[in-house]
Amino acid sequence: MPMDTMTIALAGNPNAGKTSLFNALTGFRQHVGNWPGKTVEKKSGQVRVNGRTLELIDLPGTYNLTPFSPEEVITRSYLLAERPDAVICVLDAANLERNLYLTVQILEMGQPVIIALNMMDAAQARGLQIDTQMLSARLGVPVIPTVASRAQGTDGLLQAVNRVAMGQAFALDYGRDLETEITRLCQIMAQYPAIGQLYPARWLALKLLEQDQELQTALLTVPGGPALLTYAQLSIHQLSQMAGDDMDVLIANRRYTWIHALVQEVVTPTRPHNVSLSDRLDRLVLHRRWGIPIFLALMWVVFKITAESSAPLVDWIDGVINGPVARWGLAGLTAVNLQETWLASLFVDGLIAGVGGVLVFIPVLVFLYLALAALEDSGYMARAAFVMDRWMSRLGLHGKSFLPMLVGFGCSVPAIYATRTLENEKDRILTGLLVPFMSCGARLPVYALFAAIFFPQQAGLVIFGLYLLGIVTAVLLGILLKHTLFQGQEQSGLVMELPPYRLPSLRGLWFHTWVQVRAFLHHAATLILLASLVIWFLKAIPAQGNGEFADTAVPDSLFATVSQTLTPALELLGFGSWQASGALLTGLVAKEVVITTLAQTYAIPDDTTAEATPTFLEDVLWIGQSFVQAIIDTLKTLPGTLGINLFGEESEPEPTGLMAAIQQEFTQTSGGHAAAGLAFMVFILIYTPCIVTISAEKQELGTRWMWFSIGGQLLLAWLLAWLVFQVGRFLLA
């Protein structure tokens, strides 16, 4: 790495404000991805200080460096393998004793450390006075007070990082007997240079005495490693006989004893301890009876904001893309006499449809991440996990898993990304597999249309039943996976400190939202655009008839031919027609496209009257006016979060021609059974979600689990739709 560049790692406990500090230091100069081979989020960012570039790496939050969870493995492996130029240890000043344990472990690795003593405002509010100079002297590292949520102390922290150098070696005294064995093991290591090149000697001696299994396995392939392991086992045997306790427990106790004494020296209470506001709120929020209703009410608010408050802006983006932008593009093609060519169709039906399919998700994501960031930064998210942990554990899930599943009722894409709030990889995967069964808002127009056709008197009841079926399916599937594929995996315990309640900062909320939305666009845009273009080509290529490329009837297109190959698999479900299979195929792009495809395949004419084409200035004026109106409509939805109507406003029925065509086709393929329409809705509910959700699954769960999800959803959708049709045609006869 160039001399004018330093690599700085940020480490700290969960809820210590590490992410807020990272955002305050890097701003928008961030990159988000996943750690190699892991679904744990990786953040990096840059900042310039005195002509030097600091590359900041935000390590996963963890309480210690014992490699049990993916977060602990990543953090320790990075510090050992990458050897950053410095480590910023972010400590919660109000919980100094607990936070120092991780710092001591990092100091024992020989890493250059700067301590960011964060949340100093919270410590002062609790009447805690911290002697930062004494703390710095005792630890031998710089200690910089900060309030990350307000970007206070960040300049001093960056200056300290820029000046950091290898300080004095940190060595905690573990007592005569332990120190004797540590010294002996270090002397043995000195005989094997290969070991010293990989690990700090004193730190390795301590980890071997703690019987760290990962290091024991790694040393088996290192020259001198087996001999060192033999000596370590002899030391453990001798020490255990003298101490009468396990070495890892003894070492941890010595660390905690030293840390406790240090905190007693540097922290002075300035007033008697009183019950804090956080404690008083927790008496209600964590109440055995009221905790869950409060949690559900707040989650309902998140759902309403995500699903409904974003709707006006979603409609605005859709209108701009398919209105003025499409017209301007066609005007450009007309200027070069290409308006009647296949390029015009490619632009409107392929490119515009693809880009619009990506951009319409942005308001949904913005509102979701704003709501999640507000709950996280306020300190409530930890309480939510605590409240729901007992119930979600019955499905083999973590308490935090409930939030992504609830958000899934609005949109599966942000719900999949919301699994990033789960620290454990197993919880993320299982939650991500269950999220698509929460019926997203994009499926609702299909339900409304088919319920109005086949069950006009019970449409509301049928739609409610579909939502309920999705929940029941997820619960039963979660129990099944818990006792099969995830049977051998240990249930993740809920271990966390409840941070104090605090007011989220607008700067922090915006940073969090922007980084997540940018990551979504980076990973999803290419995939959905490619899928849209592929479907356009299938519809543009004539397979029969006299049509030409990009000028052929849909029934004569290659799309119809491909769809026809799928119909045999749907015949037992009551809707074995190429129109239905084609709609399901395009539904992979977006579930809203199902109705559009049916209208195209049944050749239902557009009843809208022709209107004069607006001028460029009129379009620009309309964009501005409609944006203002969308903002007003969004603000109007916010009071509605206090009360919810699951099915929203009553939708206008689809054109009678489309409804009649669908009913006639389904009557022919099912033998006149209305159960075919219900089976089609069940298939829409259960089968593979849209291509953007698939992309999110690939990014968050990995390729293997993505294909498992796709295959399992298709199989389960077929089985449930078959069961509904076979049983329904007798019950509804």
Side-chain angles (χ1 to χ4, degrees):
M1 184 168 289
M3 294 298 294
D4 64 344
T5 301
M6 294 178 62
T7 301
I8 311 297
L10 270 72
N13 291 180
N15 299 315
K18 180 172 58 65
T19 299
S20 296
L21 182 61
F22 177 78
N23 290 337
L25 293 174
T26 61
F28 295 102
R29 300 172 295 278
Q30 299 179 12
H31 302 282
V32 179
N34 284 341
W35 290 90
K38 302 287 183 181
T39 59
V40 180
E41 186 177 82
K42 176 183 180 180
K43 285 185 179 180
S44 62
Q46 291 185 346
V47 60
R48 295 281 294 179
V49 181
N50 298 334
R52 174 181 288 178
T53 298
L54 304 183
E55 180 75 21
L56 273 65
I57 307 296
D58 187 13
L59 297 176
T62 179
Y63 290 102
N64 58 56
L65 296 182
T66 302
F68 292 135
S69 71
E71 291 74 20
E72 292 165 347
V73 171
I74 289 170
T75 299
R76 194 176 83 171
S77 298
Y78 180 85
L79 293 177
L80 284 174
E82 301 298 330
R83 301 291 178 93
D85 296 298
V87 179
I88 297 177
C89 288
V90 185
L91 278 62
D92 179 0
N95 294 281
L96 188 58
E97 187 166 339
R98 179 66 187 89
N99 282 231
L100 275 170
Y101 191 83
L102 176 64
T103 302
V104 167
Q105 289 183 306
I106 294 175
L107 285 169
E108 288 181 328
M109 296 178 73
Q111 300 281 353
V113 168
I114 303 96
I115 290 180
L117 198 57
N118 198 30
M119 301 185 190
M120 287 294 291
D121 55 341
Q124 293 169 358
R126 291 178 55 180
L128 301 177
Q129 182 176 335
I130 302 176
D131 189 337
T132 57
Q133 292 183 351
M134 181 182 293
L135 181 62
S136 175
R138 291 296 305 275
L139 295 175
V141 298
V143 176
I144 310 298
T146 62
V147 181
S149 60
R150 303 174 189 169
Q152 294 179 2
T154 54
D155 291 339
L157 182 63
L158 289 174
Q159 293 299 328
V161 170
N162 199 39
R163 297 191 302 266
V164 74
M166 290 296 293
Q168 63 186 40
F170 179 85
L172 193 152
D173 186 357
Y174 286 94
R176 184 181 62 184
D177 295 334
L178 261 172
E179 288 294 339
T180 298
E181 295 303 318
I182 291 172
T183 301
R184 188 166 71 89
L185 290 175
C186 289
Q187 291 172 347
I188 295 170
M189 288 182 222
Q191 303 174 22
Y192 303 103
I195 297 177
Q197 292 175 0
L198 294 174
Y199 308 105
R202 181 178 173 83
W203 177 83
L204 179 58
L206 281 167
K207 301 309 292 183
L208 292 179
L209 292 176
E210 289 178 309
Q211 301 187 73
D212 189 301
Q213 294 184 358
E214 185 177 272
L215 282 174
Q216 289 173 341
T217 302
L219 284 172
L220 291 175
T221 59
V222 179
L228 178 61
L229 290 174
T230 301
Y231 284 111
Q233 289 301 315
L234 292 174
S235 296
I236 292 170
H237 179 70
Q238 289 180 338
L239 290 170
S240 297
Q241 285 187 329
M242 290 186 292
D245 205 346
D246 293 337
M247 284 300 97
D248 57 342
V249 175
L250 182 61
I251 291 172
N253 285 339
R254 292 290 176 86
R255 288 193 186 119
Y256 278 121
T257 300
W258 185 86
I259 291 171
H260 179 74
L262 174 62
V263 171
Q264 294 299 311
E265 286 186 60
V266 302
V267 178
T268 304
T270 59
R271 62 174 181 266
H273 177 71
N274 297 318
V275 178
S276 65
L277 176 61
S278 291
D279 293 335
R280 291 196 294 269
L281 288 174
D282 281 342
R283 290 175 180 175
L284 177 63
V285 171
L286 302 180
H287 191 274
R288 186 175 183 85
R289 177 178 299 175
W290 298 108
I292 290 180
I294 291 173
F295 168 77
L296 294 178
L298 288 175
M299 295 307 100
W300 242 173
V301 170
V302 172
F303 167 66
K304 288 282 286 182
I305 290 176
T306 302
E308 296 187 7
S309 296
S310 62
L313 289 171
V314 168
D315 293 338
W316 176 75
I317 292 177
D318 182 66
V320 171
I321 294 295
N322 294 290
V325 172
R327 285 195 293 270
W328 296 343
L330 286 176
L333 292 172
T334 302
V336 292
N337 294 321
L338 295 176
Q339 69 276 16
E340 300 297 333
T341 66
W342 62 269
L343 283 174
S345 177
L346 174 63
F347 176 78
V348 175
D349 301 323
L351 184 62
I352 292 296
V355 172
V358 175
L359 295 182
V360 294
F361 281 102
I362 291 180
V364 179
L365 290 170
V366 167
F367 279 93
L368 169 74
Y369 289 130
L370 280 173
L372 291 182
L375 290 176
E376 185 73 41
D377 290 353
S378 69
Y380 180 77
M381 191 69 81
R383 276 84 177 173
F386 177 82
V387 167
M388 289 303 300
D389 184 68
R390 180 164 59 94
W391 296 94
M392 297 303 294
S393 63
R394 297 179 182 180
L395 301 182
L397 290 173
H398 195 283
K400 288 185 178 181
S401 298
F402 191 78
L403 181 60
M405 295 177 70
L406 184 64
V407 172
F409 284 110
C411 179
S412 297
V413 177
I416 294 293
Y417 282 109
T419 60
R420 292 182 176 183
T421 61
L422 306 175
E423 290 83 6
N424 185 275
E425 182 178 17
K426 172 252 183 182
D427 293 331
R428 279 193 294 273
I429 293 174
L430 184 53
T431 304
L433 292 175
L434 299 182
V435 158
F437 296 104
M438 304 296 105
S439 188
C440 69
R443 294 177 169 99
L444 186 55
V446 183
Y447 300 159
L449 173 63
F450 275 76
I453 294 173
F454 296 101
F455 307 98
Q457 303 302 319
Q458 299 87 24
L461 182 62
V462 169
I463 295 175
F464 176 77
L466 290 168
Y467 276 84
L468 185 61
L469 177 61
I471 296 172
V472 172
T473 301
V475 170
L476 296 178
L477 189 60
I479 295 174
L480 176 64
L481 292 175
K482 174 185 176 182
H483 291 91
T484 53
L485 294 181
F486 295 89
Q487 184 177 19
Q489 302 193 41
E490 183 179 354
Q491 175 66 32
S492 173
L494 183 62
V495 180
M496 64 170 59
E497 284 186 65
L498 297 181
Y501 291 99
R502 49 187 177 268
L503 187 66
S505 69
L506 294 178
R507 178 187 176 92
L509 294 180
W510 177 243
F511 279 161
H512 175 86
T513 302
W514 166 248
V515 170
Q516 299 292 350
V517 170
R518 186 178 62 181
F520 162 78
L521 291 174
H522 174 72
H523 290 281
T526 303
L527 186 58
I528 192 172
L529 179 59
L530 178 62
S532 300
L533 293 178
V534 168
I535 292 177
W536 176 85
F537 272 106
L538 291 176
K539 289 183 177 180
I541 298 175
Q544 55 186 351
N546 299 321
E548 298 179 355
F549 181 74
D551 186 22
T552 185
V554 176
D556 297 333
S557 68
L558 182 59
F559 174 78
T561 303
V562 172
S563 301
Q564 186 67 45
T565 63
L566 304 177
T567 56
L570 304 178
E571 290 177 354
L572 292 178
L573 311 184
F575 46 88
S577 65
W578 75 265
Q579 290 92 339
S581 59
L584 293 175
L585 184 63
T586 58
L588 294 175
V589 176
K591 292 298 179 281
E592 305 96 320
V593 181
V594 169
I595 296 177
T596 302
T597 303
L598 289 172
Q600 290 177 336
T601 55
Y602 288 118
I604 302 301
D606 188 357
D607 294 334
T608 58
T609 58
E611 297 180 359
T613 302
T615 65
F616 177 79
L617 290 178
E618 290 174 338
D619 275 337
V620 172
L621 182 62
W622 177 85
I623 291 175
Q625 292 175 338
S626 59
F627 176 74
V628 173
Q629 186 61 49
I631 295 296
I632 295 174
D633 292 341
T634 297
L635 294 176
K636 288 180 179 179
T637 65
L638 296 179
T641 56
L642 299 177
I644 182 170
N645 174 12
L646 183 61
F647 308 111
E649 297 292 330
E650 189 71 20
S651 303
E652 291 293 328
E654 293 292 321
T656 304
L658 176 59
M659 297 173 71
I662 293 175
Q663 187 171 36
Q664 180 180 358
E665 186 69 41
F666 273 61
T667 298
Q668 294 177 356
T669 57
S670 67
H673 297 289
L678 184 59
F680 186 83
M681 287 186 279
V682 170
F683 199 95
I684 290 288
L685 166 68
I686 303 296
Y687 92 115
T688 309
C690 66
I691 198 72
V692 185
T693 303
I694 295 174
S695 173
E697 286 183 327
K698 181 178 183 297
Q699 180 186 353
E700 299 302 310
L701 310 183
T703 303
R704 181 169 65 93
W705 287 110
M706 178 198 72
W707 285 114
F708 174 81
S709 177
I710 292 173
Q713 289 161 353
L714 284 173
L715 178 61
L716 186 60
W718 193 95
L719 290 174
L720 288 180
W722 174 82
L723 182 64
V724 167
F725 178 65
Q726 299 301 327
V727 174
R729 65 177 180 172
F730 291 105
L731 297 179
L732 300 175

